[in-house]
Amino acid sequence: MTAEPAPRNGPEQSGGGGAGGPWRRPGPQQVPQPAAAPKGMWHGDGRTFGEKALPRMSVRLRLTLLYGLLFFMAGALLLFVMSVLMADILGSVKVIGLNLSDEEAAALQRQFVEQTMRQLVGRSLLALGGVGVITLVLGWFVADRALSPLQRVTTTARRLSESTLHERIALEGPDDEIKELADTFDAMLERLGMAFDSQRRFVANASHELRTPLAINRTLLEVALGDPDVSDDLRAVGRTLLATNARHERLIEGLLLLARSERELATRTPVDLAEVATTVLEHSARRDHDAEVSVHPELTSGKALGDPVLLEHLVSNLVENAIKHNVEDGGELWIRTGMLEGYATIQVENTGPAVPAYEVERLFEPFRRLNADRVESAKGAGLGLSIVRSVVLAHRGAVYAAPRPGGGLIVTVRLPADRPPPI
């Protein structure tokens, strides 16, 4: 592996590019997202409606409309009762006047009652409409107030992942149905957290138990191969067993790192990704690789907040993966660091075999390789990009991947910056 000098005195990179060269456009995000409904379909209450999507009405709007409907129904009933009572009261009023016959007095009474009731009903309807509008506005805010605990539950559920199951809603307030829902959700998170912790402990313990016999096997094989009287056939078998043993050791180390990276971070310190990338490239240059790859560093400062050891493993896995899965002769690798759109960002781009777009998502799954190829498993355990995604999730960042035009892969990692960008 050969490396070109890294530019370190350029301006901070942003959305348009940086000192060492332009950033590649990030591909699809490799963080689990909620599954979207098929286009043109709407699912709700177990029903499916075709072709045209129906508008989605929120609970807040439904409650507001319900409050308004109940108010108008109660107001209409009150207006009806009031009109009946008022008509009865006005009907008992007698019109008294000089030189008025009974028929004329009755006609004047009917005219007075009709005019009074018409004005009363009209003005009452106007008052009912005005107060109804005010009721709808107040109902909107009351519904928002009533649903705020549910919004808190929803926000927490969206933020949770395997690495943040320690969070709880811890809703305070009266012991009602909403608090019971929040407490039930917290209890479910507790059970899920215990299940994930048990799984991680099992992987870690099993990995530790397997490391000892593998180390013993390696020692015995190396001692046996060091004997000058060993035949050529046994020496060839021993070297094959040593290579297999080394692959198993890499697998165990990968499982240990994967189990560690899925835990909640215990340490968060400012880390400059440019310094981490420089260290990783220096270590990688001292190791032997199957193919000669030209490395083009384009490094500028990009400070993130996280675990330095895990971030070093993240960059190392990206670099090693880009070197292993490269072309045999004349391979190239670009590594860029800096600030991109307010995030500490590292991007690794390499030449290599063409990667179909539909295969990119699968590459981040454990023990998955391009085209499900198990023949070339000697290149690695199939955990490199899985560990990258796990470390990114533990740091609450995002990792993107996209096929490179002409072959290869572009992987972009964005992590929360040490300090928010100035406004």
Side-chain angles (χ1 to χ4, degrees):
M1 184 181 73
T2 60
E4 297 178 0
R8 300 302 301 271
N9 55 354
E12 187 180 69
Q13 299 187 25
S14 59
W23 290 95
R24 292 283 193 173
R25 182 181 299 275
Q29 186 171 343
Q30 299 298 324
V31 174
Q33 297 291 322
K39 188 176 182 180
M41 305 293 288
W42 179 80
H43 301 274
D45 302 329
R47 298 167 295 176
T48 302
F49 300 86
E51 296 308 325
K52 294 185 179 180
L54 298 180
R56 179 177 179 268
M57 185 178 295
S58 65
V59 177
R60 182 181 182 184
L61 180 58
R62 290 203 297 267
L63 286 177
T64 302
L65 295 178
L66 179 60
Y67 295 155
L69 178 62
L70 292 177
F71 173 80
F72 281 112
M73 291 177 62
L77 179 60
L78 178 61
L79 179 60
F80 174 75
V81 173
M82 183 184 66
S83 300
V84 172
L85 294 177
M86 185 59 68
D88 183 63
I89 293 173
L90 293 177
S92 62
V93 175
K94 300 296 182 181
V95 177
I96 301 174
L98 297 176
N99 301 324
L100 287 177
S101 62
D102 293 340
E103 291 79 5
E104 292 174 343
L108 289 174
Q109 182 185 13
R110 286 194 301 273
Q111 183 180 2
F112 171 74
V113 171
E114 290 175 359
Q115 291 178 354
T116 304
M117 291 301 299
R118 188 180 299 112
Q119 293 182 10
L120 177 64
V121 172
R123 295 180 181 180
S124 298
L125 288 175
L126 288 176
L128 179 63
V131 177
V133 173
I134 297 176
T135 302
L136 288 174
V137 175
L138 293 177
W140 178 264
F141 290 102
V142 170
D144 180 65
R145 177 80 174 179
L147 293 174
S148 58
L150 289 180
Q151 294 173 354
R152 183 176 174 183
V153 173
T154 303
T155 303
T156 304
R158 287 176 177 173
R159 189 172 60 249
L160 289 177
S161 64
E162 292 183 20
S163 59
T164 56
L165 287 177
H166 65 285
E167 295 187 18
R168 297 294 180 268
I169 300 173
L171 185 64
E172 298 179 356
D175 192 10
D176 54 9
E177 289 82 358
I178 296 181
K179 189 175 187 304
E180 182 180 1
L181 172 64
D183 293 342
T184 304
F185 192 80
D186 285 342
M188 181 189 68
L189 291 178
E190 186 71 27
R191 293 192 298 271
L192 284 176
M194 294 175 60
F196 278 113
D197 288 340
S198 176
Q199 181 187 26
R200 291 164 187 159
R201 284 195 301 270
F202 171 77
V203 173
N205 292 335
S207 301
H208 277 297
E209 291 297 326
L210 290 173
R211 292 172 73 181
T212 300
L214 288 176
I216 295 175
N217 289 342
R218 184 180 70 251
T219 303
L220 293 176
L221 288 171
E222 289 175 348
V223 170
L225 291 176
D227 188 352
D229 297 331
V230 174
S231 63
D232 294 338
D233 292 339
L234 289 179
R235 192 177 299 277
V237 172
R239 289 173 179 171
T240 303
L241 292 176
L242 267 180
T244 304
N245 196 84
R247 179 179 177 276
H248 291 163
E249 288 181 332
R250 290 195 301 270
L251 174 61
I252 298 302
E253 292 295 335
L255 289 173
L256 280 172
L257 180 58
L258 186 61
R260 178 186 174 187
S261 62
E262 289 180 346
R263 300 174 185 171
E264 178 62 18
L265 294 182
T267 305
R268 290 182 182 271
T269 58
V271 181
D272 193 339
L273 294 181
E275 297 179 359
V276 174
T278 301
T279 302
V280 169
L281 291 178
E282 290 175 354
H283 291 170
S284 181
R286 290 194 291 265
R287 288 197 293 266
D288 294 331
H289 298 282
D290 295 336
E292 193 72 18
V293 177
S294 299
V295 179
H296 309 283
E298 303 170 3
L299 309 179
T300 59
S301 179
K303 291 187 177 180
L305 198 64
D307 188 323
V309 177
L310 287 181
L311 291 179
E312 184 175 341
H313 280 294
L314 180 149
V315 179
S316 177
N317 280 7
L318 287 176
V319 171
E320 292 300 317
N321 186 77
I323 293 175
K324 290 176 182 177
H325 302 281
N326 214 309
V327 296
E328 295 183 359
D329 297 320
E332 294 185 282
L333 184 153
W334 293 265
I335 178 169
R336 308 176 181 96
T337 62
M339 298 300 297
L340 183 64
E341 299 177 354
Y343 292 90
T345 306
I346 179 168
Q347 186 176 82
V348 176
E349 175 184 354
N350 71 308
T351 54
V355 181
Y358 57 84
E359 289 279 355
V360 172
E361 179 70 25
R362 297 174 61 255
L363 297 179
F364 285 81
E365 299 176 8
F367 306 107
R368 288 298 185 98
R369 299 176 180 85
L370 182 61
N371 299 322
D373 183 12
R374 307 289 303 187
V375 177
E376 297 184 359
S377 59
K379 290 185 176 180
L383 293 174
L385 293 181
S386 303
I387 294 173
V388 168
R389 181 168 64 174
S390 181
V391 173
V392 169
L393 288 177
H395 287 78
R396 300 183 182 180
V399 54
Y400 305 81
R404 178 181 178 274
L409 195 66
I410 305 171
V411 181
T412 306
V413 173
R414 292 185 180 181
L415 301 173
D418 177 26
R419 293 183 180 84
I423 297 177

